[in-house]
Amino acid sequence: MDTDPWRHRARKVMEGRLRGNGDDRPRYVVCGQDPLAFRLVNELVAASATVTVIVPTRSRSDGPDMRSIKGIRLLRADRLNERTFRAAGLVGAKGLALINQDDVGNIHAALCAQEVEPDLRVVMRMFNTRLGNRVKRLLPDCEVLSDATMAAPAFVAAALGEVSPTHFRHGGRTLHVAKRSEVRPEHVVCGLADLRDAGNPRVLPADHASADLVLAEAAGVQLGPVIAARRIARARQRARLWRDPLRALRSFATRKIGIATLTVLAVVLVFGVMLAREVGSTVPYGLYLTLVMTLSGADPEPDLSSRAQVLQVVLSLAGLALIPLLTAAVVDGAVKARLALVDGRTQTERHGHVVVVGLGNVGTRVMWQLHDLGIEVVAVDRDPDSRGAAVARDLGIPLIIGDGSQEETLRDASVANCRALVVVSTDDVTNLQAALYGREINSHLRIVLRLFDGDFAHRLQRVFNIGVSRSVSYLAAPAFAAALMDREVIATIPVNRHVLLVAEVIVAAGSALDGRTLAAVGVNPGVRVVAFAQFGEPGPIWLPPDGYRLRARDRVTVVARRSGLSWLLKQASDPPPPPTDPVA
């Protein structure tokens, strides 16, 4: 029994209004207006839920417009407190999603929501997952998710030219996503995508054998990005044997000082050899004469021939120029190193590294994971006080403070010689500009681009040959929706800009699937059955035949597209209650 009379009356009033309107759909409240919130609301609406969205009074000009989603209630408020949540109808709601990019603000909002509705399920977006996991224990029904943590592996894998390192454990097996050529045929569980057309992969193709991206059992294999990182590290180690000394010489002084110094050294060498021949001495003695004349001067020797005297004079003059040039080179190198530390810019030319532009939540995670894999990284951000800039300094990663959409900044990051350019700021225009400049600097550059609009990204890939594009909100929204609706989604598998879901669905008594065979699940082309567990059995049957008959409380594990999973959940859910006669 509810101990708060006001809350009890509010819930009764709200339930009465919904029943009076004939609306028994689950209700959710979403707080946020960025791309992730937009995708999440679309997911909930597609699942036939009633959604109230709380957004600030001043709308963002650079984000999607929530008003374009039909069938939702929009509430504008600048403070997420008890009053706002009551106005949003949080009493009696099934769940609350806090999607703002403010860890402390989301925690405060969750505590306020608990005052309004103690039995509420809360899903919070947090960057600091350690803090989130501690807060999670303090709330009765809470899930903490990080979109940056979910999306970063896909960006890292794309930068290394590998498939996304998705792996999970289910039914006593560890499964992972891999290329078909990298696993044994008997380990393949399900074909995921045909990647022959890299810009437009066919997801869950009808012919499973045509899929070159598969879900397979991990039998002592390593994930693709780990293997790629080790291969890159070995190649970089070999290259350093000859590249580092040359790089040190090139970065020590400016080009003009270097040319002048090399010219004087050439004069000294040539005339020193000529002097040695003229006086008829050996090469070691000629070297001795050259060093003495150029570095300390030499006494006049009237007994020498006129030609030898001329050579002696030239070497003495060269010595007068050589000592100041060496001094200038040393001073110039020291000043450049000092300026690099003060300005946060890397003056050293690099090769085979990955440039990460934009150190927000996602960019910081991408930089972190690349560093953990042993990949050399150069980070770029315009804010020297950002969270990602501090992480870069702590990890010892070269950091350039500047506008990543400018050509000069990209050249400072040695984009011309890098392995990949990962552009993950929150502004699509800035990301596109950086990608186009990167393509101009290096026509063969691998570019991984963060873009919200899928159609726009597809056209860019086709027309400008940009490379790989990813949407953080598209990758993370299904997991947030599943957590909010308390669905048993085991894993999400990104495939280019598509997302596949691995889920376990329980057949409800009296549902459309109760009493039918597994073939009824496979009629939807967006669903693949990978395992089946009868009620009461401890473990599932992998790759079961279509003839198995489904009963109430049986569990079906599938790989599905989002639309396919929504269809399957409806087929397996409880039947709707019979209509009641209206009361006169």
Side-chain angles (χ1 to χ4, degrees):
M1 182 175 178
D2 200 330
T3 58
D4 189 337
W6 186 93
R7 187 182 296 118
H8 179 71
R9 290 196 301 269
R11 183 181 291 108
K12 290 295 184 182
V13 169
M14 183 62 67
E15 292 174 352
R17 287 178 179 176
L18 293 174
R19 285 195 298 268
N21 295 331
D23 190 353
D24 57 353
R25 296 178 297 169
R27 291 187 298 111
Y28 298 97
V29 177
V30 177
C31 302
Q33 63 170 345
D34 66 352
L36 177 57
F38 183 84
R39 300 271 194 198
L40 174 59
V41 172
N42 273 303
E43 294 271 348
L44 297 174
V45 171
S48 302
T50 300
V51 184
T52 298
V53 185
I54 304 176
V55 299
T57 54
R58 180 175 295 180
S59 300
R60 291 176 44 159
S61 58
D62 59 341
D65 190 358
M66 284 289 184
R67 294 174 297 181
S68 63
I69 305 177
K70 297 181 180 180
I72 67 171
R73 179 192 173 199
L74 203 62
L75 177 64
R76 297 192 178 276
D78 290 327
R79 293 178 60 90
L80 297 178
N81 51 26
E82 290 92 335
R83 181 178 179 181
T84 301
F85 286 135
R86 289 193 178 99
L90 193 63
V91 176
K94 190 173 181 181
L96 168 68
L98 301 169
I99 311 298
N100 292 318
Q101 294 193 29
D102 179 4
D103 287 2
V104 176
N106 287 341
I107 294 172
H108 180 264
L111 297 175
C112 292
Q114 288 295 311
E115 294 292 329
V116 177
E117 179 54 88
D119 299 328
L120 184 70
R121 177 166 180 78
V122 178
V123 175
M124 278 194 297
R125 173 193 198 177
M126 295 193 68
F127 176 81
N128 190 336
T129 52
R130 290 185 179 179
L131 174 62
N133 289 330
R134 287 177 171 83
V135 173
K136 177 181 175 180
R137 302 190 192 105
L138 303 177
L139 300 175
D141 189 5
C142 178
E143 186 65 42
V144 174
L145 300 175
S146 169
D147 59 325
T149 302
M150 295 177 188
F155 285 91
V156 171
L160 301 180
E162 296 291 333
V163 298
S164 297
T166 302
H167 60 97
F168 57 93
R169 186 164 182 81
H170 177 66
R173 294 188 180 186
T174 298
L175 306 177
H176 72 123
V177 177
K179 297 175 183 177
R180 185 183 290 271
S181 59
E182 297 176 351
V183 297
R184 295 180 178 179
E186 60 269 22
H187 292 160
V188 174
V189 175
C190 176
L192 299 177
D194 182 351
L195 302 178
R196 283 177 290 185
D197 183 358
N200 187 27
R202 293 191 302 121
V203 179
L204 296 181
D207 181 9
H208 296 190
S210 66
D212 43 17
L213 185 69
V214 299
L215 181 66
E217 184 177 2
V221 300
Q222 291 183 323
L223 299 179
V226 177
I227 298 174
R230 291 181 176 177
R231 183 175 62 248
I232 293 170
R234 288 194 297 268
R236 191 174 66 213
Q237 189 67 28
R238 290 193 298 268
R240 278 180 174 174
L241 295 177
W242 61 269
R243 183 181 295 154
D244 283 357
L246 180 61
R247 183 188 298 176
L249 289 174
R250 293 180 61 185
S251 63
F252 189 69
T254 62
R255 182 181 180 86
K256 292 182 179 180
I257 293 178
I259 292 176
T261 303
L262 291 175
T263 301
V264 173
L265 287 174
V267 170
V268 170
L269 177 63
V270 172
F271 278 77
V273 172
M274 294 174 63
L275 178 61
R277 291 183 177 180
E278 183 66 26
V279 299
S281 64
T282 61
V283 174
Y285 185 71
L287 178 62
Y288 160 73
L289 288 177
T290 301
L291 292 176
V292 169
M293 290 180 184
T294 54
L295 298 180
S296 62
D299 295 330
E301 296 188 25
D303 297 336
L304 293 177
S305 65
S306 299
R307 186 173 180 180
Q309 290 176 346
V310 170
L311 294 175
Q312 186 182 38
V313 170
V314 173
L315 287 173
S316 298
L317 293 175
L320 293 176
L322 180 61
I323 293 177
L325 284 174
L326 291 176
T327 304
V330 172
V331 173
D332 186 63
V335 171
K336 286 178 62 178
R338 182 64 179 172
L339 291 176
L341 292 174
V342 173
D343 296 341
R345 305 176 72 85
T346 172
Q347 302 288 343
T348 304
E349 184 177 348
R350 299 177 181 275
H351 295 264
H353 58 293
V354 176
V355 178
V356 179
V357 177
L359 299 183
N361 290 350
V362 177
T364 301
R365 291 289 184 187
V366 171
M367 174 185 67
W368 214 326
Q369 292 186 16
L370 286 169
H371 179 268
D372 289 344
L373 288 171
I375 302 298
E376 186 176 6
V377 184
V378 174
V380 179
D381 197 272
R382 65 178 66 191
D383 184 5
D385 300 321
S386 66
R387 175 189 292 163
V391 173
R393 295 187 185 98
D394 291 341
L395 297 177
I397 294 175
L399 173 64
I400 296 178
I401 302 301
D403 187 353
S405 63
Q406 299 300 314
E407 182 178 0
E408 179 184 0
T409 305
L410 296 178
R411 289 191 181 277
D412 287 339
S414 299
V415 166
N417 305 314
C418 73
R419 179 176 302 276
L421 172 63
V422 182
V423 190
V424 285
S425 78
T426 56
D427 183 8
D428 281 5
V429 176
T430 299
N431 293 346
L432 176 59
Q433 189 170 344
L436 293 177
Y437 273 131
R439 176 65 70 215
E440 289 182 7
I441 296 172
N442 185 349
S443 60
H444 302 291
L445 179 64
R446 177 188 297 276
I447 298 176
V448 183
L449 186 62
R450 176 181 181 178
L451 288 175
F452 171 75
D453 191 300
D455 180 67
F456 179 50
H458 178 70
R459 294 177 187 276
L460 280 177
Q461 288 179 259
R462 187 178 69 247
V463 176
F464 294 102
N465 190 27
I466 289 296
V468 182
S469 66
R470 296 285 185 267
S471 168
V472 174
S473 59
Y474 197 87
L475 293 172
F480 277 82
L484 190 60
M485 293 184 283
D486 204 14
R487 291 178 174 175
E488 190 60 35
V489 173
I490 302 167
T492 59
I493 302 174
V495 181
N496 203 323
R497 292 186 67 89
H498 302 277
V499 176
L500 295 175
L501 305 174
V502 182
E504 187 176 64
V505 178
I506 299 177
V507 179
S511 66
L513 293 180
D514 190 5
R516 302 186 66 183
T517 63
L518 279 175
V521 178
V523 297
N524 190 313
V527 179
R528 294 287 185 273
V529 177
V530 296
F532 164 69
Q534 293 179 325
F535 174 64
E537 294 295 327
I541 301 171
W542 291 93
L543 300 179
D546 290 341
Y548 274 101
R549 192 164 298 277
L550 296 168
R551 302 295 183 189
R553 304 179 72 178
D554 286 349
R555 304 188 309 277
V556 182
T557 305
V558 298
V559 177
R561 305 186 70 158
R562 292 183 297 175
S563 58
L565 181 58
S566 296
W567 170 85
L568 180 60
L569 289 170
K570 292 177 182 178
Q571 295 294 308
S573 60
D574 295 321
T580 57
D581 294 332
V583 179

